[in-house]
Amino acid sequence: RPDYLYLVQENLYADLTDVGDGVALKFKALPPTKRLEAYKIIASKVMKLHEVGFTHQDLKPANIMVANEEFSDYRLIDFGLSKFIGRGYANGGSPYYNSEDKIKGIPIANISHDVYALAMTIAVLETSLNTIFQKVDRSCFMMELTEVCKDKLRDNLKNGFENSLIPEIHEVVLKGINLSKPNYNSMEDLKNAIDGVIKQGVNVVVEKIEIEIENDNHKKDGSELIDSNHKLSRSQQKQGQFPDNEPSNEELMNKLEI
């Protein structure tokens, strides 16, 4: 029947874990490029839903499962709120991941709901739920996303991404959740924006780490230590390239003590 949606889904094995609580720390410890590739893979999965005419309507970290130990494949779960694009009634969902349209009660399910939810998911995975939503009244996501709510979200996101190893993804998130122009009109737009960050090269700050490594070596041979303000030219990343030995998030945090 045209008014009903039937899904034949893969039988997922029991040891899958979500990228939220399940393996959040391991996911955050992946190198920046690996995480960006993960976001592209997830966006591609959602695009396939849109291509066959329906939306997910409940994208969030808890509904994205890691499908292998290499973090190279993912599965979307929980299609209980899925709707036909332009026909289904978009109600429910998880408040923090609901787009402004859904909060306002605009009833027709559309692609923008999923774009917003995935962009917010990326923000949460790159920072934390508490960082983004601290001091933002829950009513903002239940009744009305006022300008006051939006300003607080912008401030929280700015603060959350200050120490991010992928600062360039900040602007992608802002556009995805409609806090910066132009907004993305499709999941493909969001995916292409993520790909753009990958192609231009993530501006990973490694100068301090290399200085510490150099100083460790100097301490061993008794030579002069490098000034902490000194910038090592070899640590400067070439446009469009990633470091040959890109450090993981965990390694950087350990070295920078953040």
Side-chain angles (χ1 to χ4, degrees), residues 199-227:
K199 288 180 178 177
Q200 76 181 27
V202 177
N203 186 25
V204 180
V205 181
V206 295
E207 288 92 345
K208 185 174 179 180
I209 292 173
E210 292 194 344
I211 289 171
E212 289 184 0
I213 294 172
E214 288 288 329
N215 282 338
D216 285 343
N217 293 332
H218 290 325
K219 287 177 182 177
K220 292 176 182 177
D221 60 23
S223 57
E224 185 178 354
L225 298 181
I226 299 173
D227 187 338

Side-chain angles (χ1 to χ4, degrees), residues 88-149:
Y89 185 77
N91 61 337
S94 302
Y96 292 133
Y97 301 91
N98 279 344
S99 68
E100 189 171 3
D101 281 354
K102 290 183 75 173
I103 296 169
K104 287 179 178 178
I106 296 176
I108 304 302
N110 60 66
I111 289 171
S112 67
H113 298 163
D114 285 348
V115 173
Y116 181 100
L118 183 54
M120 189 62 83
T121 293
I122 293 171
V124 169
L125 291 175
E126 286 299 310
T127 58
S128 73
L129 195 68
N130 290 335
T131 298
I132 296 173
F133 301 116
Q134 63 178 329
K135 298 181 181 178
V136 181
D137 196 286
R138 189 176 174 84
S139 65
C140 291
F141 307 98
M142 301 290 286
M143 300 171 64
E144 182 182 5
L145 194 61
T146 64
E147 289 304 316
V148 172
C149 297

Side-chain angles (χ1 to χ4, degrees), residues 178-195:
N178 304 327
L179 293 182
S180 180
K181 302 292 183 180
N183 306 142
Y184 302 124
N185 295 316
S186 67
M187 189 59 67
E188 184 176 13
D189 288 347
L190 176 56
K191 179 187 172 186
N192 288 340
I194 297 168
D195 194 42

